[in-house]
Amino acid sequence: MKTSLFFEHFFKIINAQLHNIKKQISGIFSGMSEIILNKDSLTKKRFALVFRTLQTPRYIILFIDLCIVTLGTLLTTFFKIIILHRFSYNAWDGFFPKLSLILATYLLSFVIFKTYHGIIRYSGTRDAIKLLFSVTMATTILIINSCIVKYITGYPIFIYNTFIALQGLIILAGMCVLRLTVKYIYNKSNIGDIKERTRVIILGTATNSVVLARKLKEEENGCYLPVAFLNMKKGRFTDSEIDGIPVIKYTPENTDNIFRKYNATTMIFEPSQINLLRNGEIAPFLNVDIKVLQMNDNSIQHRKGDKNIQISSNVQDLQIEDLLGRDVIKSDNNKIKEYIKDKIVMVTGAAGSIGSEIVRQLSKHDAKQIILFDCAETPMHNIYIELNDTNTAKNIIPYIGDVRNIDSLTDAFEMYHPQIIFHAAAYKHVPMMELHPSEAIKTNVGGSKNVADLSMKYNAERFVMISTDKAVNPTNVMGASKRLAEIYVQSLALSLKKNESKNHTRFMTTRFGNVLGSNGSVVPLFKNQISSGGPITITDKRIVRYFMTIPEACELVLEAGRMGNGGEIFVFDMGKPVKIYDMAKQMIMLSGLKPYIDIDIVETGLRPGEKLYEELLNDKEATEATHNDKITIGKVREYDYNDVASQIDDLIKTAKHNDSKAIVTMMKTLVPEYISKNSVFEKLDKHHDTKKTKPNA
């Protein structure tokens, strides 16, 4: 009774599976017939959906492969009949026993190599190798068996073994054709409507470029269709094809013709070719109506029509920092990790552009605790949530406080006793500080003094202040306030060394220029203006600035903090200065648009306190090399701490009364090279006797 119930249940399962397979196969064939008879795109999409969701059980794949073995055996038998008929050879003698042996042998090899485990529509080289090995194994076993049998019977072994090898080739070809056919149909149903895709040309024929083209071509619901490879090297694959995509030889003169011929509007390159862009070898692309993209592993958002849609995870917009004319700056992360590991680190201004990136990098260096000190609640919350999402916030402690408030700052030092302090809290926007000199002094000078004094009081190991190139020969309140902070921190460090104090805090300053992508910087501003249809606004076509990326700047800050002995002003090598006007034109052209035709560029005039050229060093300053060729030590004028401390205290007291004229007058006394430009404070320079003051850095 139990046996009969078992078989009844077994046959029900088999019947259900067969019915399901029949239904799926019926759906495929009906879909294919509709595609052949009716080219309606909706029908194609429905068929593609059915095909993509079809999941064939492994035993069905195995069964189909064995059917191919049977067909291969039958085909080989017919060949035997045709070729050996004159020898009165009957190929059908003992056919079914031989077929049983062949099926058993192939079944064994398929099971050993698991040829039926792969998903057919994703078949690749590895699957082909499995098939080859399994067929080779089965053929070898059958040949050995035939040698034994035919040796006994006396039949010519060579002839019979030749047919066994032929049978193996037919079976291998059949299984490969099956998988390639399924893969081809899947890819065809998967790529969507090719007419809707953006036609792109891939730069170069390197491996990464070929892989990128294949991914873009086969990408589900992709937006890009590679139509050609552009060959930059002489004699490499010229006038040939790769994966059915033609390889075109590049010359600067035929740029426009190439893209017109293939009706392409976009060029994509891979990161190793960035030097071609930097060296100007692909400059012609920026002068025609062509959008330039680069290969990337991170997914991005592009606009298509009125919808924001997710497209290729392999491509992103070309980043303007890639055209700065230098390689990415790298630091020795292992050595940085050594001095950060198991330390309590405080970052002031932790929610800002620089501060938050310092925190991100510190979170990877095994610090014992990282204290995020900032008065901006929402940005602080955002960075804390971000670190939580990346599972790096286990030792992160947010602390809401203001560096100008000595009480809240003292509470933080008393509670956590930080060993390393990165001081990034500051006001940085030149026009704003030109309007509010008192706020610049309270935060940039007073706040820096508070953090430095408490670092010394609580005997911290290291204090690293982040300054700016605007502190050199300042022409505005912001730059002068940062120079005053530099002077105070350096004089404090030299005082500790001179007096051989028991305090071992090492004070140092880092000085660098503009960072790309920071809050209020030109790159995000230009991007927004381009996406809004323009115009791009620049203050003056002659303006030149130094640039580096935020991660680069922060890596060097951490590196400088490690190498400092106290009293240094570290100056970062930022490469060649960049003309803002040229940057604006490049950003327009990299968006596939044309300056002054699609997007206008408008000069608005220099802002208060703004100068045309930024410097990293004063003319009277020299530099001293370090072991890192991207970091030098600026040799600047040294100040006596006692004189500086009393004067800065007076300046901070004056700032509390918000008397801008009195504040700026005192600043010009302390920093004699501070000469205002395009500012209401220029009149103070006319009455300021610079001859009585000593030259300063």
Side-chain angles (χ1 to χ4, degrees):
M1 184 68 180
K2 290 183 178 179
T3 304
S4 63
L5 287 173
F6 169 78
F7 279 109
E8 183 181 349
H9 182 65
F10 176 77
F11 284 119
K12 279 185 178 179
I13 294 173
I14 294 297
N15 186 53
Q17 288 290 340
L18 290 173
H19 179 72
N20 184 39
I21 293 168
K22 180 181 176 183
K23 185 177 179 181
Q24 290 178 338
I25 293 173
S26 174
I28 292 174
F29 279 105
S30 63
M32 289 179 69
S33 63
E34 282 195 55
I35 289 176
I36 294 169
L37 298 173
N38 181 10
K39 295 184 178 181
D40 180 58
S41 60
L42 181 60
T43 303
K44 290 183 180 180
K45 290 178 181 178
R46 286 174 179 170
F47 170 68
L49 181 61
V50 171
F51 194 84
R52 288 199 297 270
T53 56
L54 176 64
Q55 294 181 350
T56 307
R58 291 177 180 175
Y59 62 83
I60 297 298
I61 298 172
L62 178 60
F63 174 74
I64 294 172
D65 285 344
L66 291 174
C67 288
I68 292 173
V69 172
T70 303
L71 291 172
T73 304
L74 284 169
L75 192 57
T76 306
T77 303
F78 284 123
F79 285 140
K80 284 182 185 178
I81 293 170
I82 295 169
I83 295 171
L84 302 177
H85 68 92
R86 69 182 65 181
F87 298 104
S88 301
Y89 173 73
N90 188 357
W92 298 109
D93 283 348
F95 174 77
F96 288 105
K98 291 176 186 176
L99 178 60
S100 300
L101 175 63
I102 291 168
L103 287 173
T105 305
Y106 273 95
L107 176 61
L108 175 64
S109 66
F110 291 161
V111 170
I112 290 173
F113 288 99
K114 299 179 180 177
T115 58
Y116 53 91
H117 277 225
I119 300 173
I120 293 182
R121 60 177 174 263
Y122 297 127
S123 296
T125 306
R126 187 185 295 270
D127 298 290
I129 292 172
K130 279 185 178 183
L131 292 178
L132 177 62
F133 284 169
S134 65
V135 170
T136 302
M137 175 184 169
T139 302
T140 303
I141 293 172
L142 291 171
I143 287 175
I144 293 171
N145 176 70
S146 76
C147 288
I148 296 171
V149 173
K150 297 304 175 183
Y151 180 78
I152 296 172
T153 61
Y155 195 84
I157 295 173
F158 174 76
I159 294 175
Y160 193 80
N161 287 347
T162 301
F163 283 111
I164 293 176
L166 177 62
Q167 174 185 276
L169 290 174
I170 292 171
I171 292 169
L172 178 61
M175 291 193 296
C176 288
V177 167
L178 169 70
R179 283 156 174 77
L180 287 173
T181 302
V182 172
K183 185 175 182 178
Y184 177 79
I185 295 172
Y186 172 75
N187 289 337
K188 279 293 184 181
S189 66
N190 199 36
I191 60 176
D193 193 344
I194 289 179
K195 292 181 180 179
E196 294 181 0
R197 290 191 175 202
T198 299
R199 297 171 65 86
V200 300
I201 289 179
I202 307 294
L203 178 62
T205 53
T207 302
N208 286 344
S209 299
V210 174
V211 170
L212 173 64
R214 187 177 295 124
K215 285 183 177 180
L216 293 177
K217 192 175 179 181
E218 298 177 356
E219 188 171 31
E220 183 175 347
N221 297 322
C223 285
Y224 297 118
L225 178 68
V227 293
F229 289 101
L230 201 58
N231 183 20
M232 301 290 292
K233 297 182 179 179
K234 295 180 179 179
R236 182 181 173 89
F237 305 132
T238 304
D239 299 325
S240 58
E241 289 187 354
I242 300 176
D243 274 355
I245 303 173
V247 179
I248 309 301
K249 185 179 179 181
Y250 166 75
T251 60
E253 296 78 21
N254 70 351
T255 302
D256 203 16
N257 293 333
I258 290 172
F259 281 82
R260 192 183 298 112
K261 177 181 177 181
Y262 289 94
N263 194 25
T265 58
T266 304
M267 183 190 74
I268 302 178
F269 71 98
E270 53 112 359
S272 66
Q273 298 166 318
I274 188 62
N275 285 331
L276 295 175
L277 287 172
R278 290 175 180 164
N279 297 336
E281 293 182 43
I282 316 177
F285 293 117
L286 303 181
N287 297 319
V288 295
D289 195 11
I290 296 167
K291 187 180 174 99
V292 181
L293 302 173
Q294 68 175 331
M295 184 170 73
N296 186 45
D297 291 332
N298 300 320
S299 61
I300 58 164
Q301 294 284 337
H302 271 235
R303 257 192 112 70
K304 188 174 181 183
D306 294 327
K307 297 180 180 178
N308 281 321
I309 60 170
Q310 186 75 26
I311 64 159
S312 176
S313 59
N314 309 298
V315 176
Q316 71 170 22
D317 285 326
L318 180 65
Q319 303 300 300
I320 193 67
E321 54 263 35
D322 292 330
L323 302 178
L324 294 182
R326 58 172 173 76
D327 294 329
V328 175
I329 297 172
K330 293 290 183 182
S331 299
D332 190 337
N333 285 326
N334 291 327
K335 290 184 178 179
I336 292 173
K337 193 168 188 173
E338 285 177 14
Y339 93 94
I340 294 294
K341 188 179 172 77
D342 297 325
K343 297 291 176 64
I344 299 172
V345 185
M346 174 184 281
V347 181
T348 68
S353 302
I354 297 295
S356 61
E357 179 59 26
I358 290 176
V359 170
R360 290 184 191 97
Q361 294 190 18
L362 286 172
S363 67
K364 302 173 185 176
H365 293 313
D366 299 333
K368 183 178 180 180
Q369 287 181 320
I370 305 174
I371 316 302
L372 279 58
F373 191 93
D374 205 302
C375 61
E377 178 207 14
T378 299
M380 174 83 87
H381 177 263
N382 292 340
I383 183 65
Y384 186 63
I385 292 297
E386 176 193 324
L387 294 172
N388 262 318
D389 290 342
T390 56
N391 297 317
T392 56
K394 56 185 177 182
N395 59 344
I396 303 291
I397 301 172
Y399 193 103
I400 300 294
D402 193 330
V403 292
R404 307 197 303 189
N405 187 332
I406 191 67
D407 294 331
S408 66
L409 199 54
T410 302
D411 289 343
F413 271 83
E414 182 65 36
M415 188 177 299
Y416 299 107
H417 288 269
Q419 296 161 281
I420 301 172
I421 294 93
F422 292 97
H423 177 50
Y427 283 136
K428 65 178 183 178
H429 293 294
V430 170
M432 290 296 100
M433 294 305 98
E434 209 68 14
L435 294 172
H436 304 93
S438 61
E439 298 304 308
I441 297 303
K442 291 173 188 175
T443 297
N444 295 357
V445 182
S448 299
K449 181 178 183 300
N450 289 341
V451 181
D453 289 347
L454 287 172
S455 297
M456 182 177 65
K457 178 180 177 181
Y458 286 87
N459 204 22
E461 294 178 16
R462 294 173 184 271
F463 172 95
V464 183
M465 193 191 84
I466 295 165
S467 189
T468 171
D469 56 358
K470 292 177 176 61
V472 184
N473 292 328
T475 59
N476 51 67
V477 170
M478 194 283 286
S481 68
K482 293 297 286 185
R483 178 60 190 140
L484 285 167
E486 287 183 358
I487 291 170
Y488 182 81
V489 169
Q490 188 184 36
S491 66
L492 178 58
L494 296 175
S495 175
L496 293 177
K497 281 187 175 181
K498 188 182 296 184
N499 299 327
E500 296 182 351
S501 170
K502 293 180 181 180
N503 184 283
H504 300 294
T505 305
R506 297 181 182 183
F507 291 90
M508 60 213 76
T509 298
T510 60
R511 185 191 284 175
F512 52 91
N514 297 273
V515 286
L516 291 167
S518 64
N519 295 328
S521 67
V522 295
V523 172
L525 174 63
F526 287 174
K527 283 183 177 180
N528 289 336
Q529 290 176 335
I530 291 171
S531 64
S532 300
I536 279 184
T537 56
I538 60 173
T539 54
D540 194 293
K541 288 184 179 181
R542 297 168 293 168
I543 279 189
V544 172
R545 293 289 182 265
Y546 289 95
F547 283 100
M548 66 171 29
T549 66
I550 295 176
E552 283 180 321
C554 294
E555 275 193 26
L556 291 179
V557 167
L558 297 183
E559 174 77 1
R562 180 191 68 80
M563 68 171 65
N565 293 313
E568 301 97 340
I569 292 182
F570 291 106
V571 181
F572 297 166
D573 178 7
M574 304 190 69
K576 297 178 181 178
V578 177
K579 205 169 183 180
I580 300 297
Y581 176 64
D582 291 341
M583 181 182 285
K585 289 196 299 181
Q586 284 181 329
M587 289 188 68
I588 293 171
M589 290 186 286
L590 290 173
S591 300
L593 303 171
K594 293 183 179 180
Y596 298 108
I597 296 176
D598 301 309
I599 301 289
D600 202 5
I601 301 176
V602 176
E603 286 184 274
T604 59
L606 290 174
R607 297 174 298 180
E610 189 173 30
K611 57 183 176 180
L612 292 175
Y613 309 99
E614 299 290 6
E615 308 145 277
L616 291 171
L617 285 171
N618 185 291
D619 291 340
K620 295 183 174 58
E621 295 176 343
T623 60
E624 177 185 325
T626 69
H627 71 271
N628 188 325
D629 60 358
K630 298 298 181 182
I631 303 176
T632 57
I633 299 172
K635 308 300 289 183
V636 300
R637 172 186 170 180
E638 296 179 356
Y639 287 79
D640 180 80
Y641 172 73
N642 293 322
D643 292 341
V644 168
S646 61
Q647 288 177 300
I648 283 181
D649 282 339
D650 291 341
L651 179 61
I652 293 170
K653 289 177 183 176
T654 303
K656 292 179 181 179
H657 301 292
N658 296 324
D659 186 342
S660 296
K661 183 178 178 180
I663 293 167
V664 174
T665 299
M666 292 182 71
M667 292 175 74
K668 289 179 181 292
T669 301
L670 285 166
V671 185
E673 72 272 24
Y674 167 28
I675 307 297
S676 297
K677 285 188 178 180
N678 193 34
S679 170
V680 294
F681 301 119
E682 286 182 33
K683 58 186 178 183
L684 298 178
D685 294 317
K686 296 175 183 178
H687 305 290
H688 186 55
D689 188 0
T690 56
K691 294 181 181 180
K692 294 180 181 179
T693 60
K694 297 178 181 179
N696 179 29

